[in-house]
């Protein structure tokens, strides 16, 4: 094997700067770190093996990996359905400070969103992906992304906002 | 709370990023997989420079490489022909052909050996491979092969026979796919086709009473359609349209199993499965 420097550099840069965040983002959306890591690697290999790699590799890999994990969940049982039906926990946080929302609640809040909104908020809030790049990665218009983001923000606000100071 | 920065902080606190334990090993492993996926050592180069600004440069190098290979092959051919000609000239001494001088004419035509190797072209045809699996469910080995029925006293048209029980019809209908299976797209504004016509011949010793297809495309609701009889034993049904967002949002198509089934009067059922690759509408990228 004689790897071409360009690809190796892209892989090395991704591993150094984005890999950890992308795995964490996929984990946040799927709550399955083991599968997230495998799916991110699979998606990265697919992205960089393609004749037309995506412009924003991190966004593409995130979306694809989330889909892969979800498909694995669907195949393996009703786990995904259970997540989808999971109601937002109403009054879980009652701690004295009200400043900290624990990670479980954030995971639950994200899991309660529709699939498309989960991807959008993960890309937007976790990976700081610009709206235009999200739109390209999902193959939708920026208007759609903004609309879904607005809805997701409202839903997250009502779920997590109760803990706001 | 609905402030974007606050949400960003919450998200990142909820799932802190962790760097891989051994980044170098991970890079090596990923590079090995990319090389394996592209099938050759130089394939990543094409993946690295696609439709972007440096794509013309990459394709220029590829064309130059092909030309170079062609020139080398032509020179080799010319040298070989020249050597053969010289040997012929040297050996017989009987009737040396005056026109036998192997000049530059052979090298004027590029050698056909520089065209892509047959193995590469064979690999590069991604035929969807319908992967047909036929399972006649209650077929206990027909006692005799299909007789053309010249001596059969029964009327030649077996379809409308409402007689209660044909004596011993224990063989299920036989389904044979006659159409090719191509990829279809989920519903979208740009990429076609979005439906696939399934064509099959279904024959039965007595008569097919009903036939259909059923499939589940990703998260879409299960679909079932009737196989409509056309001319003779030919039946058709349509797969799709499939709602956008049903299959995984990825570049590669998702295989959807479509089951064809047919039932005869004796309630014998045969099924046949074909795999239809369905492409996500998401992969139909604009531009």
């Amino acid at each position: 094997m004689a790897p071409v420097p360009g690809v190796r550099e892209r892989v090395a840069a991704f591993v150094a700067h984005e890999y950890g965040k992308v795995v964490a983002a996929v984990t946040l959306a799927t709550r399955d770190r083991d599968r997230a890591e495998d799916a991110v690697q699979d998606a990265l290999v697919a992205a960089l093996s393609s004749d037309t790699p995506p412009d924003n590799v991190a966004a593409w890999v995130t979306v694809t990996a989330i889909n892969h994990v979800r498909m694995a969940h669907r195949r393996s049982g009703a786990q995904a359905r259970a997540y989808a039906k999971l109601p937002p926990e109403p009054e879980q946080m009652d701690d004295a400070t009200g400043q900290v929302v624990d990670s479980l609640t954030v995971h639950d809040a994200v899991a309660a969103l529709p699939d498309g909104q989960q991807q959008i908020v993960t890309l937007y809030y976790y990976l700081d992906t610009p709206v235009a790049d999200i739109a390209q990665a999902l193959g939708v218009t920026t208007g759609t992304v903004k609309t879904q983001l607005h809805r997701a923000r409202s839903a997250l606000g009502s779920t997590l906002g109760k803990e706001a100071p | 709370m609905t402030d974007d920065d606050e949400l960003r902080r919450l998200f990142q606190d909820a799932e802190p990023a962790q760097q891989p334990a051994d980044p170098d090993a991970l890079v090596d492993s990923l590079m090995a997989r990319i090389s394996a996926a592209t099938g050759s050592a130089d394939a990543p180069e094409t993946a690295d420079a696609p439709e972007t600004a440096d794509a013309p440069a990459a394709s220029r190098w590829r064309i130059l490489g092909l030309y170079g290979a062609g020139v080398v092959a032509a020179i080799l051919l010319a040298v070989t022909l020249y050597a053969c000609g010289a040997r012929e000239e040297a050996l017989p001494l009987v009737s040396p052909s005056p026109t036998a001088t192997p000049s530059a004419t052979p090298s004027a035509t590029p050698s056909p050996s520089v065209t892509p190797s047959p193995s590469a072209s064979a690999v590069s045809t991604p035929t969807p491979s319908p992967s047909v699996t036929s399972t006649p469910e209650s077929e206990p080995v027909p006692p005799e092969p299909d007789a053309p029925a010249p001596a059969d006293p029964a009327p030649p048209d077996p379809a409308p026979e409402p007689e209660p029980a044909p004596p011993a019809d224990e063989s299920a209908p036989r389904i044979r796919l006659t159409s090719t299976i191509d990829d279809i797209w989920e519903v979208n504004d740009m990429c076609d086709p979005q439906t696939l016509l399934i064509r099959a011949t279904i024959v039965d010793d007595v008569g097919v009473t009903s036939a259909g297809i059923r499939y589940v495309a990703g998260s879409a609701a299960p679909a079932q359609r009737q196989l409509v009889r056309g001319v003779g034993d030919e039946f058709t049904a349509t797969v799709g349209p499939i709602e956008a967002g049903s299959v995984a949002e990825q570049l590669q198509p998702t295989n959807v199993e479509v089951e064809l089934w047919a039932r005869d009067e004796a309630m014998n059922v045969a099924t046949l499965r074909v795999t239809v690759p369905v492409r996500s509408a998401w992969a139909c990228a604009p531009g």
Side-chain angles (χ1 to χ4, degrees):
Chain A
M1 183 187 74
V4 174
V7 176
R8 173 170 273 279
E9 283 165 10
R10 287 184 82 172
V11 172
F14 185 90
V15 169
H17 305 299
E18 293 174 307
Y19 179 82
K21 287 186 78 173
V22 169
V23 170
V26 176
T27 305
L28 182 66
T30 62
R31 296 207 278 196
D32 190 337
R33 186 166 193 95
D34 291 340
R35 278 186 170 139
E37 200 147 355
D38 288 345
V40 166
Q41 292 180 20
D42 290 348
L44 182 63
V45 168
L48 296 182
S49 303
S50 166
D51 287 339
T52 55
D55 292 337
N56 189 328
V57 174
W60 190 89
V61 166
T62 305
V63 171
T64 307
I66 289 173
N67 284 329
H68 274 265
V69 175
R70 284 199 188 127
M71 284 187 70
H73 285 168
R74 287 185 187 123
R75 270 188 233 111
S76 63
Q79 189 178 1
R81 282 193 294 277
Y83 285 155
K85 290 176 183 169
L86 202 63
E89 299 185 14
E91 297 289 343
Q92 184 176 350
M93 293 304 298
D94 255 350
D95 59 346
T97 65
Q99 299 282 342
V100 180
V101 177
D102 77 352
S103 64
L104 191 62
T105 307
V106 174
H107 282 96
D108 290 345
V110 172
L113 296 173
D115 285 359
Q117 290 181 15
Q118 285 180 26
Q119 292 176 330
I120 288 173
V121 296
T122 305
L123 289 167
Y124 187 77
Y125 289 120
Y126 199 97
L127 295 177
D128 290 334
T129 310
V131 168
D133 286 5
I134 298 174
Q136 191 179 24
L138 292 172
V140 298
T141 64
T142 54
T144 302
V145 173
K146 287 176 184 170
T147 304
Q148 295 298 319
L149 197 55
H150 175 74
R151 290 178 186 161
R153 192 184 285 128
S154 302
L156 289 172
S158 64
T159 309
L160 303 174
K162 298 182 180 71
E163 288 76 38
Chain B
M1 159 53 59
T2 53
D3 177 51
D4 280 355
D5 291 336
E6 181 67 6
L7 278 172
R8 281 198 179 91
R9 186 188 65 75
L10 282 176
F11 272 51
Q12 286 167 8
D13 287 349
E15 196 62 54
Q18 295 171 14
Q19 285 306 110
D22 188 350
D24 292 338
L26 180 59
V27 170
D28 288 342
S29 152
L30 290 167
M31 282 306 296
R33 290 179 60 190
I34 289 170
S35 294
T38 51
S40 66
D42 61 343
E45 186 178 18
T46 63
D48 196 34
E51 314 282 33
T52 57
D54 21 67
S59 53
R60 222 178 293 132
W61 281 111
R62 206 176 308 140
I63 291 167
L64 278 176
L66 278 176
Y67 273 125
V71 167
V72 168
I75 289 172
L76 284 176
L77 183 64
V79 168
T80 309
L81 288 175
Y82 180 81
C84 291
R87 205 175 303 136
E88 275 175 30
E89 247 182 316
L91 283 178
L93 290 180
V94 185
S95 61
S97 164
T99 59
T101 52
S103 64
T105 46
S107 63
T109 57
S111 162
S113 64
V114 297
T115 55
S117 69
S119 61
S121 64
V123 170
S124 68
T125 54
T127 51
S129 72
S131 78
V132 176
T133 317
S134 178
T135 50
E137 285 171 2
S138 60
E139 187 174 15
V141 182
E144 55 187 24
D146 281 315
D152 193 355
D157 179 17
E161 274 190 14
E163 291 177 9
D169 179 18
E170 293 182 343
S171 63
R174 288 170 293 283
I175 308 173
R176 189 170 65 87
L177 187 72
T178 57
S179 57
T180 56
I181 303 295
D182 297 318
D183 296 12
I184 60 172
W185 290 87
E186 288 179 336
V187 172
N188 68 85
D189 293 336
M190 287 181 295
C191 298
D192 289 316
Q194 296 173 17
T195 59
L196 172 71
L197 185 70
I198 298 269
R199 186 176 285 124
T201 56
I202 305 176
V203 294
D204 184 73
D205 295 340
V206 178
V208 178
T209 55
S210 57
I213 63 171
R214 50 193 168 217
Y215 58 90
V216 181
S219 59
Q224 49 186 351
R225 310 266 163 80
Q226 194 180 356
L227 270 161
V228 179
R229 186 188 283 272
V231 179
D233 294 327
E234 187 179 84
F235 289 75
T236 55
T238 302
V239 176
I242 294 170
E243 190 185 351
S246 300
V247 301
E249 290 173 347
Q250 58 185 12
L251 291 179
Q252 299 82 7
T254 299
N255 284 334
V256 171
E257 286 221 326
V258 177
E259 186 177 75
L260 288 70
W261 61 269
R263 186 182 297 130
D264 66 10
E265 288 183 356
M267 303 302 283
N268 297 313
V269 176
T271 61
L272 179 135
R273 288 186 173 199
V274 298
T275 302
V276 177
V278 177
R279 293 186 176 273
S280 167
W282 169 82
C284 176

